[in-house]
Amino acid sequence: GAVVSQHPSRVICKSGTSVKIECRSLDFQATTMFWYRQFPKKSLMLMATSNEGSKATYEQGVEKDKFLINHASLTLSTLTVTSAHPEDSSFYICSAPGLAENNEQFFGPGTRLTVL
Amino acid sequence: GQNIDQPTEMTATEGAIVQINCTYQTSGFNGLFWYQQHAGEAPTFLSYNVLDGLEEKGRFSSFLSRSKGYSYLLLKELQMKDSASYLCASLDSNYQLIWGAGTKLIIKP
């Protein structure tokens, strides 16, 4: 099956710094990738849709200047949390739709961000 | 608006059967997913229903009624490792997943 990797799996940073999270489709090409955020005991919240070769589409309430998304190639999308604050601490997950008829999305393992 | 409802938490006994219900209201419909998520991990795919009826896959089955906007996930012969959150998600007309808040399933010996 399709595999999506994410790096890093965990990151701890100081308030005010920027953190980059990478999402890679390992054995398939993904023109679209999705970035989610999940707070403890809450459901996945779609932040943005990353589109290869064009600008990302952000969901309402998500600051595009704070959460920079770059979909540089058909296998890589990056999410940069700029000037991170403690309230940005969360579980960030990326996913990519596969080619199967069931429209299944394949998820990366997630990145746990802790901002001190 | 778009809305997915599922119970917050359920408790069941090892070896038993449990049914987790989900109702949905979305703009258009292109299928209903169930995902399993263990704490601290990403969701893993369980099932996809786009036609009415029951889909069986081993110990897990998923049912869909499009006319009622209703689905359920049925777990048989429960094992301790089935303790997890189960997420219901509807694929809307834009092929965007609308997620429920998840049902935390607690399995007791």
Side-chain angles (χ1 to χ4, degrees):
Chain A
V3 178
V4 175
S5 71
Q6 235 178 290
H7 177 80
S9 58
R10 290 179 181 271
V11 58
I12 301 173
C13 68
K14 293 181 179 180
S15 185
T17 60
S18 295
V19 175
K20 179 186 285 188
I21 303 170
E22 293 186 348
C23 178
R24 293 181 184 273
S25 56
L26 297 186
D27 51 0
F28 68 105
Q29 293 182 334
T31 56
T32 301
M33 290 183 175
F34 301 97
W35 285 98
Y36 293 89
R37 180 168 54 184
Q38 186 176 35
F39 292 106
K41 299 183 180 181
K42 299 294 184 182
S43 187
L44 296 167
M45 186 193 80
L46 180 65
M47 299 176 66
T49 302
S50 173
N51 304 298
E52 189 271 335
S54 63
K55 292 182 179 180
T57 304
Y58 289 82
E59 296 301 302
Q60 192 172 8
V62 178
E63 300 175 58
K64 62 180 181 180
D65 293 331
K66 180 171 180 62
F67 299 98
L68 300 178
I69 291 174
N70 183 17
H71 200 139
S73 73
L74 288 171
T75 58
L76 174 64
S77 175
T78 60
L79 168 68
T80 301
V81 183
T82 62
S83 187
H85 288 93
E87 56 265 31
D88 298 324
S89 298
S90 187
F91 192 48
Y92 292 85
I93 311 174
C94 70
S95 73
L99 301 178
E101 292 182 355
N102 68 359
N103 298 302
E104 179 184 350
Q105 285 195 26
F106 298 92
F107 285 86
T111 298
R112 174 72 61 189
L113 171 64
T114 303
V115 184
L116 302 176
Chain B
Q2 310 210 86
N3 194 47
I4 306 283
D5 284 320
Q6 53 182 129
T8 304
E9 186 174 297
M10 299 182 71
T11 303
T13 305
E14 189 177 16
I17 299 173
V18 71
Q19 178 175 311
I20 303 174
N21 296 323
C22 170
T23 58
Y24 63 90
Q25 289 179 306
T26 55
S27 302
F29 181 77
N30 281 299
L32 193 290
F33 288 87
W34 284 96
Y35 280 82
Q36 180 191 61
Q37 186 178 27
H38 286 99
E41 299 180 8
T44 55
F45 172 80
L46 290 178
S47 68
Y48 171 74
N49 294 66
V50 67
L51 300 176
D52 286 353
L54 186 68
E55 296 273 348
E56 296 185 74
K57 190 187 297 183
R59 292 189 299 114
F60 293 4
S61 302
S62 56
F63 171 83
L64 176 68
S65 169
R66 296 183 62 157
S67 61
K68 295 182 179 178
Y70 167 70
S71 173
Y72 68 71
L73 180 69
L74 190 72
L75 293 79
K76 302 177 184 177
E77 302 171 15
L78 286 170
Q79 302 174 9
M80 297 303 293
K81 67 178 182 179
D82 297 330
S83 292
S85 286
Y86 291 86
L87 306 174
C88 172
S90 174
L91 198 62
D92 72 8
S93 56
N94 294 319
Y95 288 89
Q96 178 171 315
L97 278 174
I98 309 300
W99 294 88
T103 298
K104 182 179 180 181
L105 178 62
I106 300 169
I107 309 297
K108 294 185 175 180

